[in-house]
Amino acid sequence: MEPLPFQENRKRKKEKWKTSQFLAQMFLISHTLLCAIKPVSSDSWDGVIVTEADFQALQAFKHELIDPNGFLKSWNDSGYGACSGSWAGIKCAQGQVIVIQLPWRGLGGRITEKIGQFQALRKLSVHDNVIGGQIPTSLGFLPNLRGVQLFNNRFSGSIPASLGFCPLLQTIDLANNSLLGPLPPSLVNSTKLFRLNVSYNLLSGSIPLSFTRSFSLMFLALENNSFSGPLPDSWGGDGKNGNPVFQLQSLTLDHNLFNGSLPNSLFSLNNLSVLSLSYNRLNGEIPAAIVNVSSLRELDLSHNTFSGEIPNSLGDLPNLDSFNVSYNNLSGSVPPKLSQKFDSSAFVGNLQLCGYTASAPCAITPSQAPPAAPSPKKRRRRLSTKDIILIAAGALLIILVVICCILICCLIRKRKMAREAKEGKAAGRAAAAAAEKGVPPTAGEVEASGETGGKLVHFDGPMVFSADDLLCATAEIMGKSTYGTVYKATMEDGIQVAVKRLREKITKGQREFEIEVNALGKIRHPNLLALRAYYLGPKGEKLLVFDYMPKGSLATFLHARAPDTPIDWATRMKMAKGMTRGLLYLHNNVNIIHGNLTSSNVLLDERTSAKIADYGLSRLMTAAANANVIATAGALGYRAPELSKLKKATTKTDVYSLGVIILELLTGKSPGEAMNGVDLPQWVASIVKEEWTNEVFDLELMRDASVIGDELLNTLKLALHCVDPSPSARPEAHQILQQLEEIRPETGTTSSGDDGGAMPSPGD
C-alpha cells in the first residue's frame, strides 16, 4: 500500500499529536514498521548545499547498501536537499555530512571505502542491521570521527588498525558481528577513547599491552570471543608517566580462553567497578591485593580453576554487591562477611570449600579442638577375688536393666501403634475429602497412609520450615494450570509461601525428577523466580515451594487493576528490561528454553521488578504434558507461528513470546482479547500499516507522548522485530536488552533482590 502524501497525513494526524517532530517520526514508522530517526527540521538547516565530495560519497554509500524497506528513497535528488533534513539519517554542518545514523533499518550490503571522503563526519551509527563485508580501512582517515556504532550486524574480517588513527575517537562498538583475528594495538591510540566493545565476535590472540596503558579507557568489553594466553601484567601503565590516574571502570573478559594467574597490577586500577573473568582457564590463588580496589562493585571469577583459600580481605570491600567464585578448586572456609552477604550460588562447585551454607559446614580440625585433659597416672595392681565378683555382679545388673527397658519400650510402641491405627481411619477419611477440594495434604493425611513422612529438600534462602510446618499450613487456591495447582500457604508462625502442587500423572519418575529439580534449585538471578524447596510425599505428591508475592502476576497487575491506578512508562520499561535480563540468563547461562513465557508467568516484587516464573518446569514433565502446554500457549496468543509445525520451543520462540508481552505493555491489551479475529501482533501491524500508529498505544501513555514519543516508537519497532513471522529475523535476547537500554538508559540502580524470590504464577 502506497502511503499518502506527507501533508495529507499531517492534516489527518494533527489533532492526535501535539508536536510536528513527533508527527514526522510517526509517519516513518507507519509505512515501514521500523523506528524512524529524528529528522533535522528545516529551521535548523543553515541553507548550505552539500559539497560535491560528500554528495559523491553519499551516492557511493547508498549504492553499496541493500535497502529492502526503501529507507533511502529520500536520497533521490541532485544533492540539494541532502542537508535540509529530507534525507533520512543525514545531518550536516556547513554543507558537510557530520552524522550518518541509520539503525534498525534492515539494511544489507556493505559500507563503501569511499566513506573516507566524509572529512567532517563525527558519528557513524548503523547498528542493528544485516550489513556485512569488512569494516572500511578508510574510516581511519576521518579526523573528526568521534563515534563508531556497528554492533549487531554481520561484519567479518579483521578490525582495521587505522581506526586508532582517529585522534578524536571516543567510542567504538563492534559487538555481535563475525570479526576475526587479533586486536590491533593501535586501536586505543586516541587519548579520548573511553568505550571499546568488541564482545560476541570471533576474535583471538592476546590483549595488547597498549590496552593496559590507556589513560582514557573507561569501559573495555572483550567477552565471548576466543582470546587466549595470560592476562598482561602491566595494568596501570609502565611507570614512565609519573602517577597517572587510570579511568578503567568496567573490564569484562568472560567466556574466553585466558589462562595463568591474576596479575597484581590488575588491582592497581583504583576506579575499577566491574571485573568479570568467568568461563576462562585462569588458575592460581585469588590475590589478596584485590582489596586495594575499594570501588569494586561486581566481581565474577566463576568457572575457572582458581585454588587455595578465599582471602579474608575480600569481605572488607565496601561496595561489593555482586560476587561469584563458583565452580573452581577453592578450599577452606568462606570468610564470614562474604557468606553472610551472598547466597550459596556464589560458592557452589568448590568441593573443598565450606562454611557458606548449613549443608556445607566446616569440620573442626585436631588443631582447633580443645586439648584433652591429661589422665592421672595410676599404680597398677592385681584384681582380687572380691573385685572380680563385684564386677561380674555389676555387669549382670546392667544386662537385666537393659532387658527390662527393651521390654517396656516394645510394650509402649505396641500400644501407640494400635492407637494410631484407630486414628488413621478417621484421618484417611479427612484426607479423601480434602483431596476432592484440591488442597495440599496435611500432616495427618501423611500419617494416615501408614508410611513414614515424605522428603523435604531446602535450597538456600531466607525461609526455614519443616515438612510438618508445610503440610499443616492452611491453603488457599490461587490458580490452576496444565502442570498443576498453585496455593497460597500460611504456616502456623505466620510465614506465607506459594506452593505449586504438580499433577502426579504428568511428572517424570522420582529419580529423574530429583535430578532435574535439584538443578533448577541452584538457579539464582534477580529477574528469575527462585525455587526455595521441594517436597516428595509418600504417595507420590510433588510440591514446589516459592516466595509468596502479594502483587501477583504482570497479567493481573496490568489488566485487572482499578481505573484510577495508572502504570507509567518508566515502570513498564523497567518490567520489559527485567524480563529480558531474566530470559537472557536462561538462554546464555543455564541453557534453558522457557517454552511458555506469558504475562501470567511474570511475577512482580514489591518494587514492581519483573521475575520470570515456571522456567525449566518442562524438564520435570513428560513429553505429552509439554506438548499440551505448547497448545495452551497458542490459545492465549503467545505462541510463535512456527510452533504449529515444529512442536519444539527454541530461543526464537521465547523471543516471540517476549515481544508479545512488550506489545502488551505498550498497548495495554491482553493477547487473549478478540481483536477483529486476529492476534495482538497482527492487530498492531494492521493499525500501523493503516498509518494510525497512535491508536496502538495505551491511552495512559499518550498523555506524555510529547516527552516519551521517541521511546514509545523505538520500543514498538523493537517489539515488532521480536514477533517477526520469520524466526531468523528475530533478535537474540542480548540484542533486545542492548536496544532497550539504549532507548531508555538507566538512571540509577534498579536491583530487584539478591536471589530472584517471587511467587509462582497460576500459569503453566
Side-chain angles (χ1 to χ4, degrees), residues 496-564:
Q496 292 182 327
V497 295
V499 180
K500 182 182 282 285
R501 184 177 189 180
L502 302 177
R503 292 173 55 194
E504 297 168 21
K505 294 183 179 180
I506 67 172
T507 57
K508 293 180 178 178
Q510 181 167 331
R511 182 176 180 182
E512 191 175 359
F513 179 89
E514 287 194 68
I515 292 174
E516 296 291 354
V517 77
N518 281 315
L520 294 178
K522 297 177 183 178
I523 297 174
R524 291 293 181 267
H525 185 274
N527 298 112
L528 294 177
L529 170 68
L531 176 60
R532 297 298 189 186
Y534 70 90
Y535 172 79
L536 302 178
K539 291 187 176 181
E541 306 99 321
K542 295 182 176 70
L543 308 180
L544 304 180
V545 183
F546 308 88
D547 293 339
Y548 170 71
M549 283 298 299
K551 281 196 174 180
S553 69
L554 173 59
T556 302
F557 189 78
L558 189 60
H559 305 303
R561 56 198 163 96
D564 58 347

Side-chain angles (χ1 to χ4, degrees), residues 8 13 29 32 35 75 121 125 138 145 151 174 250 255 276 314 362 379 404 406 450 553 557 568 657 717 721 741:
E8 294 181 15
K13 297 179 181 178
I29 193 173
T32 61
C35 169
W75 299 22
L121 189 66
S125 177
S138 58
L145 192 63
F151 57 90
L174 312 177
S250 177
H255 291 83
S276 180
L314 277 177
C362 294
R379 185 177 62 181
C404 290
I406 292 175
S553 69
F557 189 78
D568 61 21
S657 301
K717 179 267 161 186
H721 194 186
E741 290 178 338

Side-chain angles (χ1 to χ4, degrees), residues 92-115:
C92 300
Q94 298 179 347
Q96 290 186 291
V97 176
I98 60 172
V99 173
I100 299 177
Q101 191 165 343
L102 296 167
W104 301 321
R105 299 298 190 276
L107 298 173
R110 56 185 296 158
I111 296 179
T112 177
E113 281 286 349
K114 291 189 177 180
I115 196 169

Side-chain angles (χ1 to χ4, degrees), residues 158 171 248 335 406 439 447 464 581 679 721:
S158 58
T171 177
L248 194 61
I406 292 175
V439 300
E447 292 173 359
V464 178
R581 290 189 182 102
D679 60 19
H721 194 186

Side-chain angles (χ1 to χ4, degrees), residues 379-672:
R379 185 177 62 181
R380 292 185 179 182
R381 70 179 181 89
R382 296 181 63 182
L383 295 177
S384 65
T385 303
K386 183 179 179 181
D387 292 336
I388 295 174
I389 293 173
L390 290 174
I391 292 173
L396 180 60
L397 180 61
I398 292 174
I399 292 173
L400 290 174
V401 170
V402 170
I403 292 174
C404 290
C405 290
I406 292 175
L407 290 174
I408 293 171
C409 289
C410 289
L411 181 62
I412 293 174
R413 179 173 179 82
K414 185 176 180 180
R415 291 179 177 176
K416 182 179 180 181
M417 290 176 65
R419 184 176 65 254
E420 289 179 348
K422 183 178 180 180
E423 295 174 349
K425 294 180 181 180
R429 290 191 294 269
E436 292 179 0
K437 298 179 181 179
V439 300
T442 65
E445 293 168 15
V446 175
E447 292 173 359
S449 68
E451 301 175 42
T452 56
K455 179 179 180 181
L456 176 65
V457 178
H458 273 283
F459 300 109
D460 61 278
M463 294 184 293
V464 178
F465 53 86
S466 66
D468 285 343
D469 293 334
L470 177 63
L471 298 175
C472 292
T474 58
E476 174 187 343
I477 294 180
M478 297 172 60
K480 295 185 178 182
S481 69
T482 307
Y483 284 151
T485 304
V486 178
Y487 303 87
K488 172 187 174 183
T490 304
M491 302 184 196
E492 290 185 358
D493 58 1
I495 293 178
Q496 292 182 327
V497 295
V499 180
K500 182 182 282 285
R501 184 177 189 180
L502 302 177
R503 292 173 55 194
E504 297 168 21
K505 294 183 179 180
I506 67 172
T507 57
K508 293 180 178 178
Q510 181 167 331
R511 182 176 180 182
E512 191 175 359
F513 179 89
E514 287 194 68
I515 292 174
E516 296 291 354
V517 77
N518 281 315
L520 294 178
K522 297 177 183 178
I523 297 174
R524 291 293 181 267
H525 185 274
N527 298 112
L528 294 177
L529 170 68
L531 176 60
R532 297 298 189 186
Y534 70 90
Y535 172 79
L536 302 178
K539 291 187 176 181
E541 306 99 321
K542 295 182 176 70
L543 308 180
L544 304 180
V545 183
F546 308 88
D547 293 339
Y548 170 71
M549 283 298 299
K551 281 196 174 180
S553 69
L554 173 59
T556 302
F557 189 78
L558 189 60
H559 305 303
R561 56 198 163 96
D564 58 347
T565 311
I567 307 174
D568 61 21
W569 175 236
T571 300
R572 299 188 197 211
M573 180 59 94
K574 183 177 73 170
M575 295 173 183
K577 290 181 181 180
M579 289 186 295
T580 308
R581 290 189 182 102
L583 193 63
L584 174 61
Y585 188 86
L586 287 178
H587 288 177
N588 287 15
N589 293 72
V590 291
N591 194 28
I592 286 180
I593 307 298
H594 192 289
N596 188 34
L597 185 61
T598 69
S599 59
S600 294
N601 287 335
V602 176
L603 288 302
L604 303 175
D605 66 7
E606 65 279 359
R607 305 173 188 171
T608 63
S609 297
K611 300 176 185 296
I612 296 177
D614 282 7
Y615 58 87
L617 287 189
S618 60
R619 298 187 176 189
L620 309 178
M621 305 299 168
T622 62
N626 290 322
N628 192 16
V629 169
I630 291 178
T632 304
L636 296 175
Y638 295 92
R639 185 179 66 178
E642 66 269 20
L643 279 176
S644 59
K645 295 182 179 180
L646 298 179
K647 305 295 184 183
K648 183 178 180 181
T650 66
T651 58
K652 292 304 178 100
T653 61
D654 277 355
V655 166
Y656 183 93
S657 301
L658 177 63
V660 175
I661 300 177
I662 296 176
L663 288 177
E664 231 176 313
L665 291 169
L666 287 167
T667 65
K669 296 183 179 296
S670 171

